[in-house]
Amino acid sequence: MTEKDFLPKAYDAMPEEGKATWKAPSNIALIKYWGKHKGQIPANPSISFTLDACATTTSVHYEKKGPKKTDFSFDLFFEGKPKEDFKPKIQTFFERIEPYVPFLKGYDLVIETSNSFPHSSGIASSASGMAALSLCLMEIEKQLDPEMTREHFLRKASFLARLGSGSACRSIEGDLITWGEHSGIPESSNLYGMKYPFEVHPIFKNYHDTILLVHKGQKQVSSTVGHNLMNGHPFANERFKQAHGNMERLKGILADGNLEAFMALVESEALTLHAMMMTSTPYFILMRPGTLEIINKIWEFRKETKTPICFTLDAGANVHVLYPESVKEKAIQFIQDELVGHCENGHYLCDRIGKGAIKL
Ligand code: PMV
């Protein structure tokens, strides 16, 4: 598919008003997207677990506006309060997606959004937020084009979400989502995320992700700045090649249920992401002392007890602790006894692999 396939048909009639509400989850990448080309095209393929508990709920009320208003018209409320500082990001998003949702300028919109996770928990809500908003916009488009298939609805929601925040395109469906062209994944696309199409061993079906909030403040480096650091990065091409290779290896691992190999690959991906940041110009260290303490304790515990528990990181200090359902009690006990002490105010979030966004 190409971008042109997401241009809408001519609409016959526009509904006067209505409201759409969707809840979309966050996701955690196993193979990381880091580096992009113009138009939010990823420099390498990535794959993520869709999460369940960490989610954004967004509703969009739309009402036909008078012919005189020519620009986008929207009010934005976050957790019940007007949120002016989110507006420029939404404005930019609307400008990017306008060719694909031209009806937008025909409506006054009221966007109300809230997160299931606490405000300023250091968890980025851009993936779940952009996914939920894109699904609401697709809901409006569906009113205009009732024949639209579910497949097109979800695919275009992912396509739009990508234009808001790259990884958001992996927050539409569950439970393992891949995004970015890869020679070993038929129909994989740089334009949208899709369900991982191969066999997955049952051990990965109920995976847990306990998110340890080591640092709850704003991210030191925004992902826009971070992706740009890959332009001209001395190791960028090798990294992109490595991601392709890791995707191929992961296929075998996911089919066999080889947890040893899974943990090694996932941890290496996380550390490579951080290594890219440490070796860019300018350079950054996004881990905190607590991050390293946690990593070392996970390694020690795994060695001593043979419990298959590993970590991954996104572009910050927080640690995602990943483990299968079968070791849940042991893992939670260990997390509470040994790791929570390294979290800011002892805060952590228990999440697990999820089935994707839902319409409310
Ligand atoms: O979607 P963005 O532009 O915020 O980038 C997210 C990048 C990582 O979270 C670090 C990795 C990933 O694949 O999710």
Side-chain angles (χ1 to χ4, degrees):
M1 285 184 93
T2 70
E3 270 108 338
K4 284 207 184 90
D5 296 306
F6 296 101
L7 293 170
K9 297 188 199 136
Y11 311 123
D12 298 336
M14 303 230 312
E16 285 300 319
E17 75 169 313
K19 189 173 176 180
T21 306
W22 276 83
K23 180 178 175 185
S26 188
N27 71 76
I28 181 69
L30 305 171
I31 293 180
K32 308 288 179 181
Y33 148 60
W34 200 241
K36 63 177 168 184
H37 307 295
K38 209 168 157 274
Q40 301 275 95
I41 297 300
N44 64 260
S46 58
I47 184 167
S48 51
F49 277 150
T50 304
L51 296 180
D52 182 45
C54 289
T56 299
T57 299
T58 298
S59 69
V60 177
H61 177 266
Y62 51 99
E63 190 172 347
K64 242 189 196 168
K65 68 186 187 194
K68 286 210 182 99
K69 292 198 208 160
T70 50
D71 202 3
F72 298 111
S73 155
F74 64 99
D75 287 324
L76 189 75
F77 295 85
F78 177 65
E79 281 159 15
K81 297 197 188 81
K83 191 80 180 157
E84 287 303 310
D85 48 334
F86 279 9
K87 284 182 93 172
K89 202 168 179 196
I90 304 293
Q91 175 78 26
T92 310
F93 175 52
F94 284 173
E95 284 163 12
R96 273 193 207 152
I97 63 173
E98 205 214 334
Y100 307 102
V101 280
F103 58 84
L104 266 191
K105 279 195 174 162
Y107 287 110
D108 288 317
L109 306 175
V110 179
I111 305 168
E112 290 174 274
T113 184
S114 60
N115 293 332
S116 65
F117 41 92
H119 186 46
S120 79
S121 59
I123 301 268
S125 58
S126 57
S128 51
M130 286 297 175
L133 179 57
S134 301
L135 285 156
C136 291
L137 301 182
M138 286 311 296
E139 200 64 42
I140 305 177
E141 187 177 339
K142 187 142 179 24
Q143 303 295 313
L144 306 168
D145 176 12
E147 311 279 86
M148 186 190 299
T149 63
R150 183 174 159 78
E151 192 192 7
H152 184 78
F153 180 98
L154 295 173
R155 190 168 279 182
K156 184 164 170 182
S158 174
F159 172 87
L160 296 177
R162 181 194 106 248
L163 292 168
S165 168
S167 60
C169 78
R170 300 189 313 239
S171 271
I172 304 292
E173 292 182 273
D175 44 4
L176 256 175
I177 301 293
T178 162
W179 166 42
E181 282 168 20
H182 185 269
S183 56
I185 306 179
E187 292 175 47
S188 53
S189 171
N190 286 336
L191 301 180
Y192 49 82
M194 60 181 244
K195 271 177 174 289
Y196 176 73
F198 301 114
E199 187 196 337
V200 177
H201 190 279
I203 193 91
F204 296 112
K205 283 289 168 190
N206 286 314
Y207 235 73
H208 288 256
D209 177 4
T210 302
I211 308 166
L212 304 178
L213 305 176
V214 175
H215 178 65
K216 300 205 254 169
Q218 269 249 313
K219 281 193 174 175
Q220 193 187 333
V221 184
S222 72
S223 60
T224 312
V225 171
H227 289 292
N228 282 338
L229 292 174
M230 290 302 272
N231 293 327
H233 190 297
F235 310 137
N237 284 337
E238 279 307 309
R239 160 60 196 154
F240 301 145
K241 260 196 248 161
Q242 178 198 41
H244 281 266
N246 278 349
M247 187 67 91
E248 199 50 46
R249 283 178 47 217
L250 189 61
K251 275 165 62 181
I253 293 171
L254 289 174
D256 297 352
N258 182 343
L259 287 184
E260 285 299 317
F262 177 78
M263 294 189 292
L265 188 146
V266 166
E267 291 186 346
S268 164
E269 273 289 320
L271 295 179
T272 302
L273 168 70
H274 281 252
M276 289 296 116
M277 271 174 273
M278 288 188 216
T279 49
S280 59
T281 311
Y283 42 80
F284 294 96
I285 299 182
L286 303 185
M287 292 189 233
R288 299 258 166 157
T291 316
L292 290 174
E293 296 277 0
I294 290 170
I295 291 175
N296 278 306
K297 284 190 173 171
I298 289 175
W299 285 344
E300 262 170 50
F301 181 73
R302 190 160 83 213
K303 200 165 157 206
E304 275 168 19
T305 67
K306 308 272 177 274
T307 311
I309 156 168
C310 73
F311 70 88
T312 187
L313 307 166
D314 54 22
N318 298 333
V319 183
H320 291 248
V321 186
L322 303 178
Y323 49 93
E325 174 81 10
S326 56
V327 301
K328 187 173 82 181
E329 273 83 32
K330 243 175 153 181
I332 287 283
Q333 195 63 54
F334 162 63
I335 290 168
Q336 283 170 347
D337 294 347
E338 300 284 337
L339 306 186
V340 167
H342 300 290
C343 297
E344 202 175 322
N345 302 323
H347 286 168
Y348 64 102
L349 302 165
C350 290
D351 211 336
R352 62 195 306 160
I353 194 163
K355 293 189 167 39
I358 50 170
K359 184 181 166 186
L360 298 177

